Every structure is written in structure tokens, then in C-alpha cells.
Amino acid sequence: MSAQAGHGASVRIEACGKTFADGTRALEPATLEIARGETLVLLGPSGCGKTTMLRIIAGLELPDAGGRVLFDDKDMTAVPIERRNVGMVFQSYALFPNMTVSDNIGYGLKIRGIPNKERAARVAELVALTNISGLENRRIDQLSGGQRQRVALARAVAIRPGILLLDEPLTALDAALRDRLRGELNRLLRALGITTIYVTHDQSEAMELGDRVVVMQKGAIAQIGTPREIYFTPRRRFVAEFIGAANIVEAAIEGGYLVLPGGRQPIHCDVDMPAAVAMIRPETIRVTSAGSASLSGTVDSVSFIGDRQRLVVSGASNRLLTVDAPNTVRVRLGERIGLSISPDAVRLLPPEN
Amino acid sequence: MSHKSFVWLCLLPLAVLTVAFFLLPMVRLVVTGAEGPQGLAGYLAILSEPRYRATLVNTVLLAAATTVVTLIVATVAGMFLQRHRFPGRAVLIAMLTFPLAFPGVVVGFMIILLAGRQGLIGDFSNRLFGEKLVFAYSIYGLFLGYLYFSIPRVILTIMAAVQKLDVGLEEAARSLGAGPWAVQRDVVLPALAPAFVASGAIAFATAMGAFGTAFTLATNIDVLPMLIYTEFTLAANFSISAALSVGLGIITWFILALARSFSGSAVAATG
Ligand SMILES: Nc1ncnc2c1ncn2[C@@H]1O[C@H](COP(=O)(O)OP(=O)(O)OP(=O)(O)O)[C@@H](O)[C@H]1O
Ligand SMILES: [Mg+2]
């Protein structure tokens, strides 16, 4: 494993757009840099162009004219995938049905002409690394979904790729297995130190795995940042709403306060605005007694989730406000409660179309 | 009436039909084969008599060659037709599958028009080299006819199989460093194996037993169906023609069974 650590290329894509033959504009020209050994997650709703961008980096799709793909500052745009030395894990895994598990894992090494003995050793190493000992001679149709996922990963990593590309590798699995494999995958990626580009539409997966996350919307990059940045300081309403739960508040700002139906909420903003848009995360709202509060509302519903309770409060904002309260706070339906929100937790968003 | 006896009652017509039209003639054929002057040894004559043996070998070779060439041509063509879109594609596919509509006699007739004494190829070679190239009435003409006959069927099967290929597998192989040839060898051809076996077996069986084309081209081409016909109608040699029929049946059946068992395992292997 030490031989693999720090094994990775840097990636740079420049003005890569993609228009398919039928005229579908799948990707607006995008520029993106990925450092050596970094794990970058492409996150966005279905159809936003994540797979398209991944396939351009892989070399399975050519960017529109003017776009360039560089690995370690070398222009790879015209190099076909078979000579890019990228490891790829497909959503459907795409394991070879006519080969055993170990033949699948060793395929890339066989193509590279690695002698049998060395190949077997490398396959054994990966079998151990991905926890699939005992399955080496199985056929693919004799494996469970989770086992297939591991084989696909082992096969992609076996060739010691400079870049590892994963397209929703956990989406096909059930929730419990997905959570377990996510943790496993995270440790493995850190240990391997390969530059990784990971596609998902699951925001919690993105935040756990990514050093940085690229949020995509309708074929364009909406925001790039660390998981903390995109969670706490989204630059667009789309990002705020796509990552985690968010209250979007539309109100006027006067003298450093949001003027709301249920009272006034301090905000870090000195200019007055007739129509501002702000985001408040549910877990940043504290429930207080109604009497002294500058902002208050009525409890519309209470859902007890276990580790916390989710309240829906009306009358405070122009819309229903979602509040995550500790599970010890006692509130009744229809009760009037005060809401205390630190001005740090109110994030002003640019007004949008 | 119990459920079970009801099922048996329903099976009765099938049983009658099987016995009357299938089992009885078969048994009769096998018995006839052993009723010649040599008795059971008549069956041995298929192999020991040089003329019969040569015909047998000829037929198997012809059928095998037809199968192999058909598979090669149909695979290349089928793969191309399925994977590419170009103007005139639909017309081309329709034309390629047109021979499906023709009986063997018509195919034989077309081979004569192409490579017969007044054929196109003869005319052409006459003008070019001053010599008429005529091969319609030989085993080569028959070979051409069988190709013409088999290729459409096999192309359709292969095209259907190519359509079902998982492009992701090819992309995965490429990502692991496989060039175009390696992808064909390791991914595409193994995935098409069941289609090869199934359509190849049909092509082989057809080429073993097709009579119309051979009969149209000439009565003296050395293939089994022709031999059976001449022994039966011209020489009235009932027992030998019966023995040859049984031999033809067994070989063809054996190849089909082999193909079926192989394709069974191939299908299992490709999941
Ligand atoms: N070969 C193609 N021809 C035409 N349009 C395509 C092609 N491939 C993808 N598209 C379109 O491009 C857009 C982006 O597709 P892409 O597969 O990149 O989305 P995605 O973000 O990966 O979505 P998902 O999460 O559903 O996988 C979609 O509108 C899709 O319909
Ligand atoms: Mg996708």
C-alpha cells in the first residue's frame, strides 16, 4: 500500500462543454481544477450533467470544441480512455460476466502484460483490501450487490490509476449497506491517496467523502467549496436548498433587521433592501418563551425523530419555518413560541430570477 | 375426474399425434435401413462404402464451411448495421433479409443466373479474360447458395444480440487499457457466443439437409440429401436411402444437441 500512497495525477478541465448530437446541451463550458490526491465530489440532481463531466474527464466523451482536459498539465483531450490510466467504477458496475472475480480484478493487469505471478499477488492484495476473500473464483452472477461494488472498486484500483472516477457507486445498494460501504470507501480512498472524482446525487455522501464538493445545476457549476463552505455559506438559493434542509426567508431589511410577520430578526447587513432573500438552517433556530422574544410563531406540527424533533412554525416568516429542536424541549401544538436565531446563522442570498 | 387424469386426457391427442406422425415413420425408417441385403450392416455401408463415405464427409464439410463463413460475414455485417446509423440503412437491412422469403429452388435459380453458363459472372470474366467462369453446378455453387440462404437468418440473430450488448462492459474494458481488438476478444465475442451457437447450429442443420437448392443446381452434386434422393428414386435402393437418412438425422441432431448444451453453459456464463 505504501507504493500507492501519493499516487495520483492532478486534473484540470478548461472550458469543457458538451452538446450531444441531438442538440442536448448537457454541460455548459466548465473550468475546474483538482489537486493531486484530492477527492472531489460532483453533486447535483438527476440530469444536471454529472456523468457527462465524469465521462469527459475519463475520455469516454469528447468535450465541445475549445474544451481541454489536462492531467498533470499534459493535454489529454485527444487521448482515448485506454491510454489515460484512469480507474473507473460504473453505476451498474459493468463487471465482465464471462470472467471470475479474480479475472475481473486482474483484467487491467493482464492487458498491460503483467506476468501471471505478479498479477496474482496484486489481485490477492486487492481482494484483501476490499474484504472479498473467499469469492475469488465466483462468477459475477453469484455475488451480492455489495460484493459486486467491491469487485468493481478492486478492478479499477488494480491498475494503479492516476485518477479514480466513480459514478454513483453506492446508488444501487440498499440504505444500510450504503452507509456502511460509504465509511469503508472513505477510509480506502484516504489510504490509497489517488486523485478521486466521485459522482453522486446524495448530499450526505458528498459531504462525507469530498475534500471539495462541486454542486451542479442544469449543466453548470453552481458552487465549488469544502463541505462546510457549501453548507454554511451557499452562494445561491439552489445550493442552499439542495444541501441539507434550509428555510428560505423573503423579507425587507431595515436597519440591520429582517422585517418578518412574526417580528424582527437581526442580520449582518447594513444596507436596507426592500426584498431580500435569506437562508436559515433549521438547527440554528433556538426555541424560547414567546413573551420576551423579538421573533415568534405558532407551532403547526411536531415530528419526533428520536435524536431531535422537527417543528413546523407558522406566522413567523412569510412561509412555514422548519425548526430542529433538541428532543428534550416540550412544545405543544398551537403553542406560541419564541425563536432565537443568531445573526451569524442568517445567510443573505442573492435575489434570483 | 381428478386433476391428474384430466391432464393425462389432454395429453392424449398429443400422444396419438406423436406416435402416428413422428414415432411410427421414424421406427419404420430405422427398420427399413436394416432390411437391405446386408441387414443391419447396411448402416455400416454408409461408412465403409467409399462413395457414401465421401458424400457424408463432403456434406459435413460443406455444412461446416457454410456455418463458419456465414458466422463471420453475418457478425461483421450485423455488428456494423446495429451500431451505425446512415442513410439507406433500413433499405439495406430489408435487402439483406430478403432471401428469407425464397425457397431453395429460387435460391438455386438465382445462383444459376449469377454463376451459370449464361450467368453474370461468366459474362464478366469472359469479357475480362476471354474465359467463362462457371461454377453454379458444382459444390461451390451450392456453397454460395447456402450462404445466401443462411446469412440473413444469422444476421438477424446477431443484430438482436448486439443490440442487447452492454456498452458499459466495453467502456469498462477500455478504461482498464483494452484496445479495440482486446475489447472484441474479451468482451464482445464472449457476450455474443450464445447467439453464435444458436444461429450457427441452425445454419449447419439447414446446410446439411437443404435439398431444393442442390436439386435445382444439378443432380450430381455429392451431398447427402441428393444421394438419398438418387438412391431412393433412381436406384430404388430403399434400405440404403433409409440408412443414409438416419445417418443424416443423427449427425444433425448431434450437432444441434451439442450446440444446445454448449449454449446452455455459455448463457449461464454470461449471466
Ligand atoms: N448520449 C446522449 N445523447 C443525448 N443526450 C444525452 C446523452 N447523454 C446524456 N444526455 C443528456 O444530458 C443531460 C445530462 O446527463 P447526465 O447523464 O450527465 O446527467 P447526470 O447528472 O449524470 O444525471 P443522473 O444523476 O440521472 O445520472 C441529460 O439531460 C441527459 O438526458
Ligand atoms: Mg449520471
Side-chain angles (χ1 to χ4, degrees):
Chain A
M1 285 240 324
S2 57
Q4 294 163 353
H7 186 89
S10 67
V11 179
R12 187 179 158 74
I13 68 172
E14 288 176 0
C16 279
K18 182 70 193 178
T19 311
F20 283 105
D22 63 356
T24 311
R25 182 91 160 154
L27 195 63
E28 301 297 328
T31 296
L32 197 59
E33 200 145 0
I34 305 146
R36 234 168 229 262
E38 183 185 22
T39 298
L40 184 88
V41 176
L42 304 179
L43 173 68
S46 185
C48 70
K50 309 180 292 291
T51 298
T52 304
M53 186 181 290
L54 194 76
R55 288 171 63 85
I56 288 177
I57 298 171
L60 287 169
E61 217 78 75
L62 214 60
D64 292 344
R68 294 208 304 159
V69 177
L70 298 96
F71 292 176
D72 278 338
D73 297 323
K74 266 212 331 267
D75 192 336
M76 304 294 274
T77 317
V79 177
I81 182 170
E82 53 264 37
R83 283 193 274 116
R84 287 196 186 188
N85 198 36
V86 294
M88 207 161 172
V89 177
F90 295 80
Q91 181 169 350
S92 60
Y93 306 143
L95 296 171
F96 305 126
N98 52 324
M99 299 180 202
T100 62
V101 166
S102 34
D103 287 347
N104 263 280
I105 299 175
Y107 183 76
L109 303 172
K110 190 169 144 209
I111 287 291
R112 283 165 173 69
I114 308 283
N116 277 340
K117 217 172 127 201
E118 203 182 324
R119 194 162 82 222
R122 175 78 179 145
V123 169
E125 188 185 334
L126 282 154
V127 163
L129 194 67
T130 50
N131 270 322
I132 44 174
S133 304
L135 304 177
E136 292 90 333
N137 294 315
R138 292 257 187 110
R139 280 204 326 259
I140 299 309
D141 57 3
Q142 300 169 323
L143 299 180
S144 73
Q147 290 165 341
R148 283 177 205 209
Q149 200 276 327
R150 290 158 199 252
V151 176
L153 184 67
R155 181 180 70 175
V157 172
I159 56 173
R160 298 180 202 277
I163 299 149
L164 185 60
L165 305 169
L166 304 106
D167 193 355
E168 312 217 17
L170 302 179
T171 303
L173 307 172
D174 62 68
L177 187 59
R178 195 155 61 218
D179 283 351
R180 193 153 55 87
L181 282 186
R182 190 202 292 169
E184 233 173 76
L185 195 60
N186 196 16
R187 280 190 294 281
L188 195 70
L189 293 182
R190 308 274 151 211
L192 293 175
I194 308 176
T195 310
T196 303
I197 301 167
Y198 189 104
V199 166
T200 181
H201 63 255
D202 178 333
Q203 38 113 356
S204 51
E205 210 170 290
M207 288 198 269
E208 176 166 354
L209 293 172
D211 293 319
R212 282 190 306 154
V213 177
V214 177
V215 185
M216 295 180 65
Q217 177 190 15
K218 291 190 192 143
I221 295 177
Q223 187 170 351
I224 308 176
T226 63
R228 273 165 211 285
E229 281 166 359
I230 58 162
Y231 187 81
F232 290 118
T233 57
R235 269 197 259 113
R236 285 193 206 183
R237 182 169 175 164
F238 170 81
V239 177
E241 289 185 309
F242 192 75
I243 313 286
N247 290 297
I248 302 296
V249 174
E250 283 146 340
I253 298 177
E254 283 170 17
Y257 285 93
L258 277 171
V259 182
L260 294 165
R264 284 150 44 101
Q265 168 60 42
I267 181 173
H268 291 308
C269 176
D270 302 332
V271 267
D272 288 0
M273 281 192 246
V277 180
M279 176 205 74
I280 304 168
R281 294 282 182 202
E283 74 276 12
T284 59
I285 306 177
R286 247 174 8 94
V287 177
T288 62
S289 67
S292 59
S294 66
L295 181 65
S296 62
T298 312
V299 178
D300 254 20
S301 74
V302 181
S303 334
F304 181 72
I305 307 175
D307 58 344
R308 66 204 142 93
Q309 50 192 339
R310 176 155 285 190
L311 318 180
V312 175
V313 177
S314 65
S317 164
N318 56 327
R319 275 187 230 192
L320 295 176
L321 213 58
T322 305
V323 177
D324 280 352
N327 52 12
T328 48
V329 175
R330 296 253 164 173
V331 284
R332 275 176 292 109
L333 276 186
E335 189 185 353
R336 188 136 189 100
I337 55 168
L339 301 169
S340 158
I341 308 162
S342 150
D344 298 333
V346 184
R347 167 93 189 150
L348 202 58
L349 298 172
E352 245 166 277
N353 30 60
Chain B
M1 196 188 306
S2 79
H3 181 72
K4 209 164 176 181
S5 50
F6 176 72
V7 170
W8 283 114
L9 199 73
C10 291
L11 279 175
L12 197 66
L14 178 66
V16 171
L17 220 72
T18 310
V19 170
F21 294 104
F22 189 71
L23 227 46
L24 283 181
M26 280 268 267
V27 170
R28 185 76 198 121
L29 192 68
V30 174
V31 170
T32 307
E35 274 177 348
Q38 302 137 296
L40 257 179
Y43 279 104
L44 276 183
I46 309 178
L47 295 174
S48 57
E49 176 83 24
R51 187 163 76 95
Y52 299 154
R53 191 174 58 219
T55 306
L56 197 69
V57 170
N58 249 351
T59 312
V60 171
L61 284 182
L62 177 65
T66 305
T67 309
V68 170
V69 175
T70 300
L71 280 179
I72 293 171
V73 173
T75 303
V76 174
M79 199 107 84
F80 181 83
L81 286 171
Q82 190 59 51
R83 290 261 163 110
H84 294 83
R85 295 287 175 274
F86 50 89
R89 174 177 173 270
V91 178
L92 189 61
I93 292 178
M95 263 170 55
L96 275 170
T97 52
F98 199 60
L100 283 174
F102 292 137
V105 183
V106 179
V107 172
F109 185 46
M110 287 169 78
I111 296 299
I112 292 175
L113 289 181
L114 185 72
R117 274 181 281 278
Q118 263 74 47
L120 279 173
I121 293 181
D123 269 2
F124 203 64
S125 65
N126 197 13
R127 257 181 241 164
L128 276 183
F129 315 109
E131 199 171 325
K132 250 190 180 171
L133 191 61
V134 174
F135 60 87
Y137 316 101
S138 70
I139 201 150
Y140 300 106
L142 195 57
F143 174 64
L144 202 65
Y146 285 171
L147 280 187
Y148 189 70
F149 212 70
S150 316
I151 286 175
R153 286 155 225 271
V154 178
I155 278 192
L156 289 182
T157 314
I158 303 270
M159 277 177 68
V162 170
Q163 189 176 24
K164 276 192 268 162
L165 281 182
D166 180 359
V167 184
L169 290 181
E170 293 169 50
E171 293 181 344
R174 291 182 59 199
S175 78
L176 294 165
W181 289 109
V183 171
Q184 295 297 316
R185 183 192 65 210
D186 298 332
V187 176
V188 176
L189 294 184
L192 292 180
F196 289 154
V197 172
S199 57
I202 300 294
F204 185 85
T206 311
M208 281 292 291
F211 176 70
T213 316
F215 188 69
T216 314
L217 290 180
T219 43
N220 59 356
I221 293 179
D222 285 337
V223 290
L224 263 182
M226 288 306 297
L227 182 62
I228 294 171
Y229 174 76
T230 47
E231 287 295 324
F232 181 64
T233 55
L234 304 181
N237 198 345
F238 278 33
S239 66
I240 282 297
S241 48
L244 286 169
S245 303
V246 172
L248 174 71
I250 287 177
I251 293 173
T252 312
W253 172 84
F254 178 74
I255 294 290
L256 285 177
L258 202 70
R260 202 167 305 131
S261 74
F262 178 76
S263 85
S265 60
V267 168
T270 48

